[in-house]
Amino acid sequence: MANGGPVEHGFPHLETVRAAVTALYRRLSYDTVRTFSASVPPADVAFCDTDDLYLGTQRVAHELVRHYRLPDARMIVSFREMTHAAHVELTAGPEYFIELNDRFRTHRRDIGAALAHEVMHVYLHRLDLSFPGVRDNEILTDTATTYLGAGWLLLDAYREDGASSQKLGYLTPEEFGYVLAKRALLFGEDPSVWFTSAQAYTAYGKGLARARLDGRQPPLTAAGWAGHRRYARDRRHAQDPHGASAVAEDGPYAFTPRENGGLRVSFPCPTCHQRIGVPVRGRVRARCGLCRSVLECDT
């Protein structure tokens, strides 16, 4: 939790975020992801200063448990002084003990954001889905929280001005905006109408612009003129046996020879980021086997 300190910006964790989206689809399946088409509505997690601290916190925790479909999980929430925003003890359940930073006693409107992240830890724990290392696992948790409909709370908790700052989670504000935008493009949602933080609007706009670029990379037909020209140049090099080697596998696309001659191009799905391979033969329509996106390509 950045509390008065510097807030990191940009997209330094983007590859881990994309890997987290892929992992969600692989672990949950397309059908389960689609059951989260409705985000947590603001009214369900609203917290008024006149609400009882503990009763209100338990109410919000219950709503998040319901959103994540954890009917037999009970959250016991308390407050104490700590460096981080919150902490949850991951056990076999059904009771889970969450501790919130004492700061939230007086910053109650952000309690929902802190609980959204911690309850997601429980959800992922029950799925047995994790990334190695604390940093990557926290990025997975932030990404899952956002992609499954509660992460707009985390972005809305971001506030920064010349005198103070606050940000929850491990993702940068722009990365939260990116994952929110990926979700918005999938479900036709506009989360910006729920923001109370002016800085959240800006971060979401930058994330949305980055997310839209994913759908404009060659060999997708939506790629711009410059992208198609670069792709055609790389394809010529890959077809020339005496030319340069194919584009690296971790690049936007990569060419490999086919057993019966010709080339095959692989590229990340703009929705779930799983790599898709199609033959190089002009206009083709590809279907992602993981998220079922249908992609128009010019190979």
Side-chain angles (χ1 to χ4, degrees), residues 96-126:
Y96 297 88
F97 296 90
I98 296 177
E99 295 177 314
L100 297 183
N101 192 301
D102 263 340
R103 171 184 174 85
F104 293 113
R105 290 179 181 272
T106 55
H107 292 74
R108 298 185 181 185
R109 67 172 176 168
D110 298 322
I111 285 177
L115 289 174
H117 178 95
E118 299 308 318
V119 179
M120 177 53 70
H121 270 302
V122 174
Y123 184 77
L124 295 177
H125 175 69
R126 289 192 166 195

Side-chain angles (χ1 to χ4, degrees), residues 13-28 68 116-117 119-121 123-125 127-148 151 154 169-171 175-176 179:
H13 314 112
L14 198 55
E15 289 309 308
T16 307
V17 167
R18 288 169 172 165
V21 172
T22 307
L24 273 179
Y25 274 96
R26 287 177 177 164
R27 186 65 183 87
L28 292 179
Y68 294 139
H117 178 95
V119 179
M120 177 53 70
H121 270 302
Y123 184 77
L124 295 177
H125 175 69
L127 286 177
D128 195 25
L129 176 58
S130 63
F131 278 2
V134 173
R135 169 189 167 275
D136 285 0
N137 200 54
E138 292 291 347
I139 290 172
L140 167 65
T141 305
D142 277 343
T143 302
T145 303
T146 306
Y147 204 78
L148 298 183
L154 285 160
Y170 279 63
L171 299 186
E175 287 168 341
F176 274 120
V179 183

Side-chain angles (χ1 to χ4, degrees), residues 200-213:
Y201 283 100
T202 302
Y204 177 68
K206 292 179 179 179
L208 179 59
R210 190 62 176 260
R212 283 175 171 159
L213 278 179

